[in-house]
Amino acid sequence: NYRGKHFQLEQCAFNDATFRVPDERGYQPHRECILESNSNSTALSREWGKCFNTTLDLLNLCHELQKCNEVVCISNDPGRFVCNYTYCLSLDLCNSTNKCHHDGKEEDEIMHHALFIHVPSFDVVSESRQLDFILKVMEKIEEQISSGSK
């Protein structure tokens, strides 16, 4: 987030490719689905604008990071540019790889997670501080997953 002043843990992404400006290759979609319906999904699961959430417990993760004196918050809006596009694809991939079949029934077995973090520019938070923050995030996620909380 080029205007951000702190770290933002993104809760979700939207199936909405609407770019205010073109990307590096000149691609500038407007109200297009990032994820198209296919034979492996229901039409509703991939409808335009649908919100996809991370499987991580961000309230807990944010709280744990704040206990370490980190200035961090949870965001419910990753924007509608490359960040949202990438996060939506990542969440969908995790969702589809977390599907498993037991006795002919499809069940969710959460083994893969995705998280998108908006970081401020290096002018606001130095590169070394940002690297320290990412290491803390990874440690806290590992603790969360190994404790079985998510």
Side-chain angles (χ1 to χ4, degrees):
N1 183 356
Y2 71 96
R3 285 185 255 160
K5 301 291 183 215
H6 56 272
F7 299 102
Q8 293 174 236
L9 308 175
E10 294 297 343
Q11 177 67 49
C12 60
F14 299 90
N15 192 14
D16 176 5
T18 299
F19 292 4
R20 183 177 45 83
V21 295
D23 69 8
E24 293 293 318
R25 294 185 176 167
Y27 178 56
Q28 188 175 7
H30 180 72
R31 292 184 59 90
E32 293 179 22
C33 285
I34 297 168
L35 307 167
E36 296 294 335
S37 293
N38 61 34
S39 60
N40 296 331
S41 67
T42 65
L44 280 179
S45 71
R46 292 185 172 203
E47 67 187 5
W48 180 84
K50 178 174 172 41
C51 178
F52 294 88
N53 287 287
T54 182
T55 52
L56 294 167
D57 181 348
L58 290 195
L59 284 174
N60 178 272
L61 179 60
C62 187
H63 178 69
E64 289 297 316
L65 291 165
Q66 289 170 342
K67 286 195 313 191
C68 297
N69 297 318
E70 294 294 349
V71 181
V72 58
C73 69
I74 297 172
S75 167
N76 291 306
D77 186 2
R80 295 297 179 280
F81 194 47
V82 176
C83 301
N84 178 68
Y85 196 97
T86 304
Y87 197 26
C88 186
L89 291 173
S90 299
L91 290 170
D92 182 63
L93 182 60
C94 285
N95 185 47
S96 63
T97 57
N98 285 336
K99 299 279 183 211
C100 64
H101 297 274
H102 293 290
D103 300 324
K105 296 178 184 174
E106 187 176 273
E107 297 177 11
D108 287 333
E109 186 176 330
I110 300 174
M111 297 180 66
H112 301 99
H113 305 272
L115 176 62
F116 194 95
I117 303 172
H118 269 115
V119 298
S121 70
F122 291 145
D123 295 339
V124 176
V125 177
S126 72
E127 181 178 6
S128 63
R129 258 306 283 121
Q130 289 192 27
L131 291 171
D132 288 342
F133 176 79
I134 295 302
L135 287 173
K136 280 184 192 168
V137 169
M138 291 170 42
E139 289 170 5
K140 296 300 179 187
I141 289 172
E142 194 271 333
E143 288 171 14
Q144 186 179 107
I145 291 170
S146 65
S147 74
S149 139
K150 267 291 175 168

